[in-house]
Amino acid sequence: SKAFLDIWDVDMMRRPNEINKMQHHTVSYNSDYLVVRRGQEFQVKITFNRPYKPAEDKFAVEFTIGSSPQFSKGTYIPVFPTSERQSSWEGRITNTSENTVTLGITTAANCIVGKYHLYVAVMTPFGIRRTRRDDSRALYILFNPWAAADAVFLDDEEQRQECVMTEMGIIYHGAYDDISERNWNYGQFNYGVLDACLYIMDRSDMPITNRGDPIKVTRKASAMLNSRDDDGVLVGNWSGDYTYGVAPTSWTGSTEILLSYASSKMPVCYAQCWVYAAVFNTFLRCLGIPARVVTNYYSAHDNDGNLKTDIILDDNGRIDRNRTKDSIWNYHCWNECYMSRPDLPTGFGGWQVVDATPQETSDGMYRCGPASVQAIKHGQTCYPFDAAFVFAEVNSDVVFYSRRKDGTMDPVKVNQTHVGRMILTKAPGDMTRLDITDQYKFPEGSKEERTVLEKAEEYGCKREKSNPPEADVDLVLPTLEINMGDDFELSLEFINRSDQRRVVEAYISGSVVYYTGVTSSEFLFRDPTVTIGPKKSEQEVVVIESKNYMKRLVEQANLHFIVTGKVKETGQIVTAMKVVTLHNPKLIVTVSDGGRVNEEMMATVEFTNPFNFSLEGVYIRMEGPGLMPPKFKYYSLIPRGSSLTWTEFFTPQRAGSTRVIATLDCPALSQVHGQATLTIAP
């Protein structure tokens, strides 16, 4: 019986109904491997050839990650069962029964995140015997928002459920006074997604030793999610021509994008800001970093790093399109992720902005963040990373300049409340929206707000100092909700606050714009002269016929009205801007009755072409978290007035409330979506 200890079997206890995945909140990962979170104990069962004798037998469980594991780099970690010998990961025997020992292993709360291999080594009189590499003994170690010692610890179970565990997303778009929403399937637990996320880090040549630091991981990933510089995941395209890829408005979720990148090893076509933010969100949640997608309405994107967006008017008050270079995005989406910031003074941890949409380079690459939301709110724009850039996106002033014949520019109006008008994200545990504007800025006009702007100026943000006098004529544009294809009236109200007559020479321009604020084409121009009696108001009504704008629409169907003008008596400038988002027809999505795990169901998508022209080259996509993988169907033509019905069978994989989401996309019409909510019984 002096036979030395030999290893017969290693049981990773990796099944979904076993203790490890239950305790580590990883049951949902569609993976045959053990998936655990760092800084928290998990169990492994080892069966030997005879009972283990603690006094004389010596064994260790070894973990390796990367191609050349080294103890000094933390890529080779031995774990010992006895309290006398311990390494950076703790080991303890939790149970012994006959020849089987159960070992509890607690990884360090700052260990490297990724895919490890496990070996068991036994000391024998003839040296160390080690198990062979066995693929079934691989395991994934993730960030742990449930562990107080982890840098991504989030002490709020409702937020953890939303920002780590929820696959169903809502992303807000449209205009701040006419909000639209699109559903998105983050799919962070889908088969292959975790490997794809780790492949992104491999592809970025990120040193393995950095992969336990959420600051480094998120900064690297913000660069890797766009294809600029580094052949990253997604190719941005705002041109309107998506012939060689999928139109950004057509995607319904992240799974297809990530799996395609990992298998083809080529950037995926095409993305715009919400696609970058949605796929980045999947990456973050998948690795265990709490994350959410945020939409900023009227997001400034200025070209020269100052805190103003310049709109240039000519002498008599008409907008000079050639000289107006800065653009204001109707909305822009980025991500917030949650982590401590040991590199910053106390108080700047918590939510951090990261943005994968390639807008500006940061330290030589297209990336942005992590920037502390708290630092942005307090004007501490000197702190890394890219806080000044995000500060400008939510705080720029819109400055109207009048350009004289000799080229000199006079500021004639400053609008301090247009940019960063509202910042939204999905409410935790609910399908409603959460307004988080107050996380980014103090109330407009409060003394705290002034202090913050002064602080930002100390750090080099430039602002327009002059304060041109307010005109005594106000100009008000109505809030309109209009369906695509409708004729409508735009009524402008001119209000004279003075006690003398006022004459305004006005310019009314209507353009079709991309959501990035870039003008595609002008479809309306009027230059009425409006006379307003003392303390009176006048309406100027412009009738807009759909035939004038329909043929010029670009994919997101935004009409941008800008009205400027000069008061004849005083030379003062009046301005007003309004984005009108045209409402698209809906897709009708229905699902069959019932709904149990592993019982087949069907989903039906119906659409009627309401226009007086045919739709060509139509793609419809459909998917649902825990229900069905992404599917699509192509229709070469949907004649005017005609309808289509598409039915797909699917088998729910897990219980709970979820949605089937669908989009329809073609060159003449996009942003068409629909969804059906359903509850699956176990």
Side-chain angles (χ1 to χ4, degrees):
S1 80
K2 284 296 282 179
F4 62 80
L5 204 58
D6 198 7
I7 304 128
W8 278 5
D9 184 46
V10 179
D11 176 2
M12 300 292 287
M13 300 175 70
R14 59 189 188 188
R15 281 176 288 285
N17 55 355
E18 288 183 290
I19 181 169
N20 287 335
K21 284 189 176 173
M22 309 271 276
Q23 289 184 344
H24 285 254
H25 310 94
T26 57
V27 172
S28 304
Y29 284 90
N30 187 342
S31 167
D32 295 333
Y33 293 102
L34 178 59
V35 182
V36 292
R37 299 183 188 276
R38 63 188 192 174
Q40 182 181 336
E41 188 174 68
F42 64 92
Q43 318 275 331
V44 175
K45 276 189 188 150
I46 304 161
T47 304
F48 296 110
N49 57 333
R50 61 166 173 76
Y52 161 69
K53 306 195 191 77
E56 50 211 58
D57 294 332
K58 287 192 169 54
F59 78 94
V61 176
E62 304 173 318
F63 294 87
T64 65
I65 185 169
S67 49
S68 50
Q70 279 171 275
F71 181 73
S72 62
K73 294 211 160 132
T75 53
Y76 161 78
I77 306 103
V79 177
F80 303 102
T82 55
S83 51
E84 299 80 74
R85 268 204 90 176
Q86 287 289 309
S87 65
S88 60
W89 295 12
E90 229 170 277
R92 67 183 184 109
I93 289 179
T94 57
N95 190 25
T96 318
S97 138
E98 294 176 358
N99 297 1
T100 300
V101 170
T102 306
L103 187 68
I105 298 157
T106 307
T107 58
N110 62 350
C111 75
I112 295 163
V113 164
K115 187 177 185 179
Y116 288 78
H117 286 277
L118 175 149
Y119 303 89
V120 182
V122 174
M123 185 76 93
T124 78
F126 315 104
I128 291 175
R129 286 178 62 95
R130 191 174 270 111
T131 53
R132 266 198 289 275
R133 178 163 170 145
D134 176 340
D135 212 36
S136 73
R137 293 174 197 163
L139 73 157
Y140 294 86
I141 299 180
L142 309 179
F143 290 98
N144 192 352
W146 283 266
D150 195 313
V152 302
F153 175 60
L154 173 55
D155 197 8
D156 178 332
E157 180 59 20
E158 190 185 32
Q159 285 282 15
R160 287 189 296 234
Q161 286 302 322
E162 180 66 40
C163 298
V164 183
M165 305 298 287
T166 300
E167 289 188 275
M168 185 72 236
I170 294 178
I171 300 175
Y172 298 98
H173 62 111
Y176 82 98
D177 53 1
D178 183 13
I179 294 161
S180 316
E181 44 185 63
R182 56 157 50 83
N183 286 271
W184 191 274
N185 179 12
Y186 297 123
Q188 68 266 34
F189 304 124
N190 283 348
Y191 183 80
V193 169
L194 177 52
D195 284 319
C197 293
L198 295 179
Y199 170 68
I200 290 169
M201 289 202 282
D202 291 341
R203 181 71 181 263
S204 74
D205 298 329
M206 181 183 191
I208 275 222
T209 48
N210 288 355
R211 298 187 196 181
D213 180 346
I215 299 170
K216 293 187 170 128
V217 168
T218 54
R219 182 152 179 78
K220 193 61 147 170
S222 88
M224 273 308 293
L225 276 148
N226 63 70
S227 63
R228 308 279 296 260
D229 316 317
D230 49 22
D231 283 337
V233 181
L234 281 157
V235 180
N237 183 343
W238 283 264
S239 73
D241 178 3
Y242 309 115
T243 316
Y244 297 104
V246 174
T249 43
S250 188
W251 299 111
T252 46
S254 309
T255 310
E256 199 180 339
I257 294 168
L258 288 165
L259 296 184
S260 161
Y261 181 67
S263 63
S264 72
K265 316 220 179 315
M266 297 277 289
V268 178
C269 301
Y270 292 106
Q272 288 172 6
C273 73
W274 71 92
V275 184
Y276 285 114
V279 177
F280 199 176
N281 213 55
T282 301
F283 172 92
L284 295 163
R285 287 186 185 180
C286 183
L287 294 183
I289 300 171
R292 56 194 189 184
V293 173
V294 167
T295 302
N296 176 33
Y297 286 95
Y298 293 133
S299 197
H301 181 129
D302 77 62
N303 290 316
D304 44 14
N306 57 20
L307 266 190
K308 27 190 241 298
T309 296
D310 302 333
I311 296 181
I312 321 282
L313 309 173
D314 64 22
D315 240 4
N316 37 17
R318 182 177 179 175
I319 189 162
D320 183 337
R321 294 231 177 254
N322 300 327
R323 291 195 170 84
T324 299
K325 290 279 179 277
D326 290 351
S327 69
I328 299 174
W329 295 34
N330 294 346
Y331 64 88
H332 178 45
C333 301
W334 57 65
N335 304 77
E336 283 180 3
C337 52
Y338 197 91
M339 65 184 69
S340 62
R341 287 299 299 266
D343 57 324
L344 301 183
T346 315
F348 293 110
W351 291 110
Q352 311 288 320
V353 172
V354 285
D355 188 348
T357 299
Q359 300 185 78
E360 297 294 332
T361 57
S362 169
D363 299 336
M365 289 183 79
Y366 281 95
R367 58 181 162 194
C368 176
S372 161
V373 173
Q374 195 61 5
I376 291 158
K377 180 169 181 172
H378 288 91
Q380 301 282 1
T381 55
C382 56
Y383 290 136
F385 295 89
D386 311 306
F389 181 73
V390 183
F391 186 84
E393 288 181 300
V394 297
N395 285 307
S396 282
D397 293 340
V398 180
V399 184
F400 292 86
Y401 290 92
S402 183
R403 186 176 184 278
R404 297 196 212 139
K405 299 269 191 287
D406 65 4
T408 49
M409 307 260 254
D410 302 317
V412 288
K413 181 169 174 181
V414 179
N415 183 339
Q416 296 171 336
T417 59
H418 183 71
V419 165
R421 183 71 64 93
M422 184 162 68
I423 303 166
L424 295 182
T425 188
K426 177 183 173 300
D430 203 354
M431 288 303 190
T432 54
R433 52 185 186 248
L434 181 65
D435 185 332
I436 54 171
T437 316
D438 65 340
Q439 305 289 301
Y440 282 82
K441 48 205 325 198
F442 288 100
E444 295 286 354
S446 63
K447 71 173 197 305
E448 294 92 342
E449 186 211 19
R450 276 200 304 282
T451 316
V452 164
L453 290 166
E454 284 159 15
K455 171 129 280 161
E457 288 180 278
E458 287 170 28
Y459 294 123
C461 280
K462 291 189 232 2
R463 293 179 69 216
E464 180 51 54
K465 279 294 194 294
S466 61
N467 204 351
E470 286 281 309
D472 52 21
V473 175
D474 288 334
L475 174 51
V476 180
L477 295 183
T479 294
L480 298 169
E481 294 203 9
I482 291 152
N483 289 325
M484 188 189 285
D486 288 358
D487 299 344
F488 62 97
E489 289 185 346
L490 180 72
S491 76
L492 289 61
E493 191 180 9
F494 291 84
I495 304 160
N496 178 1
R497 286 180 296 141
S498 78
D499 38 25
Q500 291 160 331
R501 189 183 86 142
R502 290 284 181 253
V503 176
V504 179
E505 296 176 332
Y507 296 91
I508 304 168
S509 159
S511 315
V512 167
V513 294
Y514 291 93
Y515 84 97
T516 55
V518 174
T519 302
S520 158
S521 61
E522 191 174 57
F523 64 87
L524 167 85
F525 182 73
R526 299 262 193 296
D527 52 354
T529 299
V530 184
T531 305
I532 321 132
K535 301 281 186 204
K536 289 263 194 310
S537 75
E538 282 294 324
Q539 298 274 350
E540 178 74 26
V541 176
V542 182
V543 175
I544 291 158
E545 296 183 37
S546 64
K547 64 169 194 272
N548 294 333
Y549 67 76
M550 279 301 284
K551 56 181 178 291
R552 294 194 168 89
L553 285 183
V554 290
E555 65 239 43
Q556 297 201 36
N558 295 303
L559 307 181
H560 188 230
F561 294 98
I562 186 158
V563 183
T564 59
K566 202 170 198 174
V567 181
K568 219 171 176 170
E569 291 78 0
T570 63
Q572 290 168 329
I573 298 285
V574 294
T575 67
M577 298 187 281
K578 177 65 80 183
V579 172
V580 174
T581 306
L582 298 174
H583 290 229
N584 282 325
K586 290 269 174 280
L587 283 185
I588 294 158
V589 183
T590 48
V591 288
S592 55
D593 292 342
R596 309 192 82 81
V597 173
N598 292 332
E599 287 184 16
E600 192 172 63
M601 298 179 71
M602 58 195 246
T604 303
V605 179
E606 295 172 81
F607 177 75
T608 302
N609 176 2
F611 303 114
N612 57 10
F613 53 86
S614 296
L615 296 173
E616 296 176 19
V618 178
Y619 278 94
I620 307 188
R621 287 173 184 267
M622 161 163 62
E623 67 177 293
L627 296 174
M628 67 165 89
K631 300 174 184 271
F632 75 88
K633 197 164 170 70
Y634 176 74
Y635 294 85
S636 55
L637 187 77
I638 307 174
R640 62 187 198 178
S642 78
S643 301
L644 63 87
T645 304
W646 169 36
T647 298
E648 282 281 346
F649 288 93
F650 64 93
T651 307
Q653 300 301 305
R654 56 174 184 264
S657 173
T658 180
R659 289 183 172 189
V660 173
I661 53 187
T663 62
L664 176 145
D665 210 273
C666 62
L669 180 66
S670 65
Q671 301 283 84
V672 175
H673 20 75
Q675 98 268 338
T677 302
L678 62 164
T679 302
I680 303 299

